[in-house]
Amino acid sequence: MIGTMKIGSREFAPDKRTYVMGILNVTPDSFSDGGKHNKPKEAVEHALRMIEEGADIIDVGGESTRPNYTMISEEEEMSRILPVIEELRKVTDIPISVDTYKSRVADAACRAGAHMINDIWGLKYDPDMAKVAAKHKVPVCLMHNRKAMDYKDFYKDFRDDLNESIRIALEAGISENDIIIDPGIGFAKTYEMNLFLLNRLEKLHEFGYPVLLGASRKSVIGLTLNEPVENRLEGTLAVTAIAVMKGVQFIRVHDVKENLRAIRMAEAIRMKQDINKGV
């Protein structure tokens, strides 16, 4: 059973409930809300709205990782996120996650007050990333990703990829209690692979770590419903409810209020499922 974990000054009990990570894109080109919050004042205001709506963690990202994204320099990324992190630390004690795969950016963000690192490359892009997380003693979210969809046996390769990220984390000195895994919906996967994973989220518990799911407004929803980004809320809520029923502990979303309602409803149903075991 997964025990409690500390992120910032707050205790999380992943085996007791599902937590909400609010997405704060400080970018001009995010696939879902690019340019809406790319100034520090607007970004902080949006973060505070998400906190009011029930977010448990704010995930700050300064580089869009949408399909075919353009990589920006470390300096540009830091110039976008550090003022936001610093200002957020002044006005709230909510845990702040930094969404980056670059060690210098992560190190600067942690020094500015971030409490967690969310790495879309699972510590594999930058060889120094694991050392930074270990140095600052912050939790890391290890997302599954790979450079090409050259799978021989999809789930076996997927599992091996994630285990490699976990090995890198542990060998760098990151505590087992500071690891979260993410299946990486939308990253190096076909539409069918994404649906396969969403249908089998419960299998991720075999790794023994809390699971974070980030599927909010993503292309798998758009392709299924044939809807643009702005019309994917209902599809996102369906995915969120299913994820809760399958025991996912963290949900990363754009629409905090609506997803939190879906989470609470799904949790109420799940918690009562053992009332009549013989039925």
Side-chain angles (χ1 to χ4, degrees), residues 81-95:
I81 66 171
L82 296 184
V84 175
I85 293 171
E86 290 166 356
E87 191 58 33
L88 274 175
R89 284 302 306 273
K90 294 176 185 175
V91 296
T92 179
D93 68 345
I94 196 167

Side-chain angles (χ1 to χ4, degrees), residues 118-277:
N118 184 13
D119 184 352
I120 66 164
W121 284 101
L123 305 179
K124 296 178 184 178
Y125 176 86
D126 187 329
D128 292 326
M129 182 64 99
K131 299 174 193 173
V132 168
K135 179 181 75 172
H136 289 284
K137 297 182 178 179
V138 295
V140 291
C141 182
L142 309 176
M143 197 192 82
H144 176 267
N145 204 348
R146 57 163 54 192
K147 291 180 180 178
M149 288 188 279
D150 51 352
Y151 303 99
K152 294 179 182 176
D153 179 326
F154 173 64
Y155 191 75
K156 180 183 182 299
D157 294 346
F158 166 86
R159 187 176 58 218
D160 290 347
D161 289 347
L162 267 180
N163 276 323
E164 176 69 6
S165 288
I166 292 166
R167 182 193 64 77
I168 292 169
L170 295 176
E171 288 185 357
I174 296 170
S175 167
E176 282 203 323
N177 291 330
D178 284 337
I179 293 174
I180 298 170
I181 61 170
D182 178 344
I185 298 300
F187 288 82
K189 297 169 188 69
T190 64
Y191 171 72
E192 290 77 16
M193 289 171 183
N194 288 316
L195 288 178
F196 175 91
L197 287 175
L198 290 172
N199 188 38
R200 293 164 177 80
L201 290 169
E202 70 278 3
K203 287 179 67 66
L204 299 180
H205 300 307
E206 69 186 29
F207 291 94
Y209 298 98
V211 177
L212 180 147
L213 180 68
S216 181
R217 305 183 190 174
K218 283 191 174 176
S219 62
V220 65
I221 297 169
L223 290 170
T224 301
L225 303 179
N226 192 27
E227 293 288 353
V229 168
E230 62 270 19
N231 292 341
R232 297 178 189 173
L233 175 59
E234 296 89 348
T236 299
L237 296 178
V239 171
T240 292
I242 290 168
V244 173
M245 296 302 290
K246 290 176 177 286
V248 170
Q249 294 99 339
F250 295 89
I251 308 282
R252 181 179 180 272
V253 296
H254 301 87
D255 306 285
V256 170
K257 178 176 63 177
E258 295 86 351
N259 278 275
L260 183 57
R261 288 173 178 168
I263 288 168
R264 295 293 173 258
M265 190 67 226
E267 281 181 333
I269 296 168
R270 191 185 71 191
M271 296 304 179
K272 298 299 182 187
Q273 65 186 1
D274 295 330
I275 195 168
N276 280 311
K277 292 184 179 179

Side-chain angles (χ1 to χ4, degrees), residues 60-126:
V60 181
E63 178 178 279
S64 172
T65 51
R66 73 195 191 289
N68 303 312
Y69 71 94
T70 301
M71 183 184 292
I72 61 173
S73 69
E74 295 171 338
E75 287 69 24
E76 175 67 17
E77 191 174 349
M78 287 188 282
S79 73
R80 293 177 181 180
I81 66 171
L82 296 184
V84 175
I85 293 171
E86 290 166 356
E87 191 58 33
L88 274 175
R89 284 302 306 273
K90 294 176 185 175
V91 296
T92 179
D93 68 345
I94 196 167
I96 300 167
S97 166
V98 57
D99 179 3
T100 187
Y101 52 90
K102 302 167 189 168
S103 63
R104 278 191 62 220
V105 176
D107 183 56
C110 289
R111 285 188 279 108
H115 310 99
M116 174 178 168
I117 297 170
N118 184 13
D119 184 352
I120 66 164
W121 284 101
L123 305 179
K124 296 178 184 178
Y125 176 86
D126 187 329

